[in-house]
Amino acid sequence: MENYIQIKTEGTKMIASAAERNKQPILQALKQHLRPAATATGSSLVLEVSSGTGQHVACAAPHFPDLTFQPSEFDEDMFDSIRTHVKAGGLTNVREPLKVDASAPFSQWAGGNLKAGCLAAIININMIHISSNKAVEGLFTAAGALLGPGGRLLTYGPYANDGLITPESNVQFDRTLRSRNPEWGLRDISRDLAPLAARSGLSLAHTEDMPANNKFLVWQKAA
């Protein structure tokens, strides 16, 4: 997790303040888009890429008892926190966290245990703007391969669009990110992400404005 994110710890459980603020609005969006993806693909498996502390998967999973959630993280130090959130919720439809490096070929994700077309959906929250170009490209490439027909890549975070960043707070946030790492920053939906999606057989099916100047994007694989 990046050092600008406020995190408190309770034993092995880590709690990110941003996740606490946004988990309910994100859950409402997931309620609209997860089951249609499962119906379209005939799969009940949902992969979360960059699960962080585990707050989001622990919040969502109780509302989808018919789906199986696979959390994943590049930082294995987060695994105990993910496990603790899952255990605290008494959740039986969440698997053990797996290591996923989004910048690596998807054939290496989760030790090669994810097969083409096996997923109903991929959830990716607040990663794209703090990732390398290779990781962002890898996310979309993997989605094109791992999602079944009609499956959905669901991404959340701050974005630019058509070359514009609004409001001014997001402009400043973008500058701060780029000062930390030149590959970070708000990706442009139409100029950066839509072309990546198209190359992987995905298209932008839905855009929803969210609190704190974020957006929830639904990228759908052709049926």
Side-chain angles (χ1 to χ4, degrees):
M1 304 297 289
E2 305 307 324
N3 59 15
Y4 61 83
I5 298 175
Q6 296 179 346
I7 295 179
K8 66 178 181 179
T9 58
E10 298 176 356
T12 57
K13 180 190 288 185
M14 304 174 74
I15 301 173
S17 58
E20 282 300 294
R21 290 193 299 270
N22 63 35
K23 67 183 184 181
Q24 289 300 327
I26 290 174
L27 172 62
Q28 295 309 309
L30 292 175
K31 285 181 177 180
Q32 296 180 52
H33 299 288
L34 273 185
R35 283 205 176 88
T39 299
T41 60
S43 171
S44 61
L45 183 59
V46 176
L47 171 67
E48 183 182 28
V49 176
S50 189
S51 295
T53 61
Q55 287 162 265
H56 287 293
V57 71
C59 177
H63 299 272
F64 302 93
D66 52 330
L67 302 182
T68 299
F69 291 80
Q70 176 61 72
S72 71
E73 247 298 331
F74 174 75
D75 184 357
E76 294 181 69
D77 288 342
M78 307 303 292
F79 282 12
D80 281 346
S81 179
I82 296 169
R83 293 184 183 109
T84 303
H85 279 285
V86 170
K87 183 177 180 180
L91 304 174
T92 59
N93 61 331
V94 182
R95 293 180 176 178
E96 273 285 298
L98 296 174
K99 180 165 184 173
V100 164
D101 178 357
S103 66
F106 66 85
S107 60
Q108 298 176 15
W109 286 24
N113 291 319
L114 297 172
K115 305 305 180 184
C118 71
L119 300 177
I122 297 174
I123 300 170
N124 185 246
I125 298 169
N126 275 333
M127 185 198 88
I128 288 176
H129 59 288
I130 51 172
S131 295
S132 67
N133 293 330
K134 191 173 182 180
V136 176
E137 292 167 5
L139 175 67
F140 279 85
T141 300
L146 298 176
L147 292 172
R152 299 178 179 185
L153 168 62
L154 309 173
T155 70
Y156 168 93
Y159 302 92
N161 197 31
D162 291 328
L164 298 175
I165 298 176
T166 58
E168 181 61 25
S169 58
N170 272 1
V171 174
Q172 295 299 324
F173 185 43
D174 180 68
R175 289 173 181 164
T176 298
L177 292 175
R178 294 182 188 279
S179 71
R180 292 172 179 267
N181 186 319
E183 287 202 59
W184 292 1
L186 276 61
R187 261 63 180 203
D188 193 295
I189 297 171
S190 60
R191 299 182 181 184
D192 298 330
L193 301 183
L196 283 179
R199 289 200 292 271
S200 296
L202 306 173
S203 60
L204 183 60
H206 179 75
T207 301
E208 184 172 341
D209 290 330
M210 302 289 277
N213 305 309
N214 292 307
K215 293 183 185 298
F216 186 94
L217 307 180
V218 179
W219 307 90
Q220 185 159 334
K221 185 174 178 178

